[in-house]
Amino acid sequence: MSSATLPPEPRNQVDDPSSLVARFGASEPLLMDSGGSIGPWQIGYQTYGKLNADKSNAVLICHALTGDQHVANVSPLTGKPGWWSTMVGPGKPVDTNRFFVICANVIGGCMGTTGPASTNPATGQPYAVDFPVVTIRDMVRAQAALIDRLGIESLFCVIGGSMGGMQVLQWAVSYPDRVFAALPIAAAARHSAQNIAFHEVGRQAVMADPDWRGGRYLVEGTRPSKGLAVARMGAHITYLSEIALHRKFGRNYQDRSAPTFSFDADFQIESYLRYQGLSFVERFDANSYLYVTRAMDYFDLAAEHGGSLAKAFRGSKTRFCVISFTSDWLFPTSDSRAIVHALNAAAASVGFVEVESDKGHDAFLLDEPEMFAAAQGFIDAAARARGIA
Amino acid sequence: MSSATLPPEPRNQVDDPSSLVARFGASEPLLMDSGGSIGPWQIGYQTYGKLNADKSNAVLICHALTGDQHVANVSPLTGKPGWWSTMVGPGKPVDTNRFFVICANVIGGCMGTTGPASTNPATGQPYAVDFPVVTIRDMVRAQAALIDRLGIESLFCVIGGSMGGMQVLQWAVSYPDRVFAALPIAAAARHSAQNIAFHEVGRQAVMADPDWRGGRYLVEGTRPSKGLAVARMGAHITYLSEIALHRKFGRNYQDRSAPTFSFDADFQIESYLRYQGLSFVERFDANSYLYVTRAMDYFDLAAEHGGSLAKAFRGSKTRFCVISFTSDWLFPTSDSRAIVHALNAAAASVGFVEVESDKGHDAFLLDEPEMFAAAQGFIDAAARARGIA
């Protein structure tokens, strides 16, 4: 990246020193579903625990839309605990005393893996919208290259929620022999029309911001912060349930008991959403938001197999556990049931747990004892089956 | 409005010649809940049918967020049929051969009634954000002034869906002796946290548009069209059910069978939403959008009565019929049930119909035979009770 063209404080450095980085040269390009390719490219990742002698205890965690590789360590960017430190760590369901845990930033992201903010070797400037459009399969292909580089033949388990769960499913379909167990949570085998619609509104909000500059904001020294904040605010509503919003905020006024009759953040819910928007733009690249949402939109696992999800899983020896949440209206239980039905039709091994929760889609990131218990039980049984101590 | 300060093609004229207009002088100001007032002011309205000799057959239709007074006539702005011509007209449930039907544009609107695009007499320029924040009660207060002007003591029926239903409820509470029958459809007695949240995102999208100019876009010759289009796109999703979106659009691609791997409107749902956004900005004023959404946010009928909705209705002699739709997740049936329970607790006369529909909130505007039948039955029975031929 040419330093002369950088804005004063680039927050999304592709060489974040706090992450491990696997680099792939121009001779090892990443070939992508769109027909495009990138190279050289790199993948930023974190690991926890130790790989055992027969390399049978590796667990891959796949992150969601705005997640990163800092699943169980304090984020160097935000100073906050790892985004899934309730699930991953010593003595946790994904026990780092037993397992070698890997989490990598996705292709198209902005946390150490090559994405639209990275330098395009053809121009010496950020790719911006010249970056090839990314798919979930491209994300998984990049992770597979990392797993190869780490010398791991077969993953013990692949785990993720939301977009992470899409990657779990894609892993099981693209590399059935490399996935012993798979745990997709609050996920779907295809993105729904409603979810595409919400994503499109978010992208339009970003692209409507004149500071987006046709995607070239890094070179032009601007940031489409207002548009990205609006996108995040809208998306955030979909991550919560109506009940959770009512319980947390209701119609409570901010700092007073009566309305101010203004367009200020009069209600607590408004103040909360504005904060969500503002804090998000501090940590996330706007073009990455476009690319990663687009990857989810294009996800349709059955489409690769003549429209049959069961065909996608045919012959799979992977053990699956599918988890959904009762109040998740973004990735409703019916989406998880469709996965389970397809796995049943393919005669695959599958368990299904619908967790009673009123916290909406974000429940997978929160303290949900029933989810932890289900994950723990599934992982422990699978570990016994694989002979992991 | 000073013609020198107007943009080239003002689409939202406050003196639309195709509507009737009731004007109120500076000596008849509209006093508003915020403590503000406006005057002189005016209200644009339409009527259909004839007022009978004893003035007992007047029906008031209240429009929703982006509706207008053209309930049963071709809109002079869009050239489209009246927005509820399925419900209102000769031989329709609200039969203009029997009833004298009135529909007025709301205060804060942009279709002939005074709103933020109207001239502020204090400055000679559009009010913009100096217009007082409006409430549902202010809208109803303005309608009551119109009804007075028309010499009507008591309305036979007040009918409306969504925000129109909020006005129906407010009418019944503010003027119990002036409402013989009330038909709120797909409504609520208070706006939920989730709905406030969606509105806030829309407002932020408008206000993030630099062409909004702190609200002064009319004077400065700009239009926050991109921000308003994003707001409309997001809102539009909430008006439809997930099932309706899936049935209409699914994951179908636009004009081709394969993805283009781009940020174009690749999916039909994207193209549809973009069209909704673009066509909306042609017909609606951005500041009116802020004001009218805000009015809905502030609506909480129980709050005026010590938090008890039943108290709000105490002693009411109005006959109510409450209608909801099974797939409406914006104003779910539980909101309508809360109204019905309060009316029961107040010993009011109330019927309740939950219409089976998979079309979401917008069902109230669509061809829903069960809704028409319920409305027809309720109106006919009420007309007999009032002795209307």
Side-chain angles (χ1 to χ4, degrees), chain A residues 345-388:
Chain A
S349 162
V350 57
F352 174 49
V353 178
E354 183 184 26
V355 174
E356 187 75 40
S357 166
D358 63 6
K359 292 176 187 153
H361 183 60
D362 263 2
F364 81 93
L365 294 168
L366 302 174
D367 184 24
E368 289 285 353
E370 203 186 329
M371 170 182 71
F372 297 140
Q376 178 106 50
F378 172 71
I379 291 166
D380 287 354
R384 281 194 299 277
R386 207 184 206 197
I388 301 173

Side-chain angles (χ1 to χ4, degrees), chain A residues 116-288:
Chain A
S118 304
T119 302
N120 181 348
T123 64
Q125 289 187 344
Y127 279 102
V129 290
D130 291 334
F131 198 78
V133 162
V134 170
T135 66
I136 299 294
R137 191 157 64 172
D138 294 331
M139 294 176 181
V140 166
R141 203 175 275 134
Q143 289 159 0
L146 170 65
I147 300 306
D148 288 341
R149 179 71 61 90
L150 295 175
I152 297 164
E153 180 67 28
S154 162
L155 292 162
F156 162 57
C157 194
V158 186
I159 308 175
S162 193
M163 188 183 84
M166 291 176 165
Q167 293 164 65
V168 171
L169 296 170
Q170 185 71 61
W171 257 101
V173 167
S174 290
Y175 307 101
D177 299 333
R178 302 187 73 175
V179 182
F180 186 79
L183 181 52
I185 304 175
R190 64 177 191 179
H191 219 216
S192 71
Q194 188 180 62
N195 287 1
I196 295 172
F198 278 121
H199 275 175
E200 171 67 0
V201 173
R203 286 190 297 265
Q204 289 295 318
V206 170
M207 296 194 282
D209 188 328
D211 285 339
W212 183 60
R213 303 288 170 95
R216 294 174 50 81
Y217 52 88
L218 288 177
V219 170
E220 302 200 7
T222 59
R223 292 279 168 142
S225 300
K226 287 186 173 180
L228 184 59
V230 168
R232 177 63 168 180
M233 289 173 68
H236 198 80
I237 302 172
T238 69
Y239 303 151
L240 306 176
S241 68
E242 198 278 328
I243 287 173
L245 282 170
H246 181 71
R247 188 180 52 231
K248 277 176 91 164
F249 307 106
R251 294 182 45 84
N252 298 332
Y253 292 111
Q254 182 80 352
D255 303 328
R256 54 181 68 80
S257 60
T260 61
F261 295 111
S262 74
F263 295 107
D264 296 340
D266 213 9
F267 293 97
Q268 288 176 13
I269 176 63
E270 295 177 305
S271 170
Y272 170 78
L273 278 183
R274 290 187 190 184
Y275 172 78
Q276 292 296 329
L278 290 174
S279 61
F280 182 63
V281 302
E282 287 294 307
R283 70 176 175 88
F284 212 84
D285 176 64
N287 282 337
S288 274

Side-chain angles (χ1 to χ4, degrees), chain A residues 298, chain B residues 253-254 256-261 266:
Chain A
Y298 280 131
Chain B
Y253 292 111
Q254 183 80 351
R256 53 181 70 79
S257 60
T260 61
F261 295 111
D266 214 9

Side-chain angles (χ1 to χ4, degrees), chain B residues 116-183:
Chain B
S118 304
T119 303
N120 182 348
T123 64
Q125 289 186 344
Y127 279 102
V129 291
D130 291 333
F131 198 78
V133 162
V134 170
T135 66
I136 299 293
R137 191 156 64 171
D138 294 331
M139 294 176 181
V140 166
R141 203 175 275 133
Q143 289 159 0
L146 170 65
I147 300 305
D148 287 342
R149 179 71 61 91
L150 296 175
I152 296 164
E153 180 66 28
S154 162
L155 293 162
F156 162 57
C157 193
V158 186
I159 308 175
S162 194
M163 187 184 84
M166 290 176 164
Q167 294 163 66
V168 172
L169 296 170
Q170 185 71 62
W171 258 102
V173 168
S174 291
Y175 307 101
D177 299 333
R178 303 188 73 175
V179 182
F180 187 80
L183 182 52

Side-chain angles (χ1 to χ4, degrees), chain B residues 241-276:
Chain B
S241 69
E242 198 277 328
I243 287 173
L245 282 170
H246 181 71
R247 187 181 52 229
K248 278 177 90 163
F249 307 107
R251 294 182 45 83
N252 298 333
Y253 292 111
Q254 183 80 351
D255 302 328
R256 53 181 70 79
S257 60
T260 61
F261 295 111
S262 74
F263 294 107
D264 296 340
D266 214 9
F267 293 97
Q268 288 176 13
I269 176 63
E270 295 176 305
S271 170
Y272 170 77
L273 278 183
R274 290 187 191 184
Y275 172 79
Q276 293 296 329

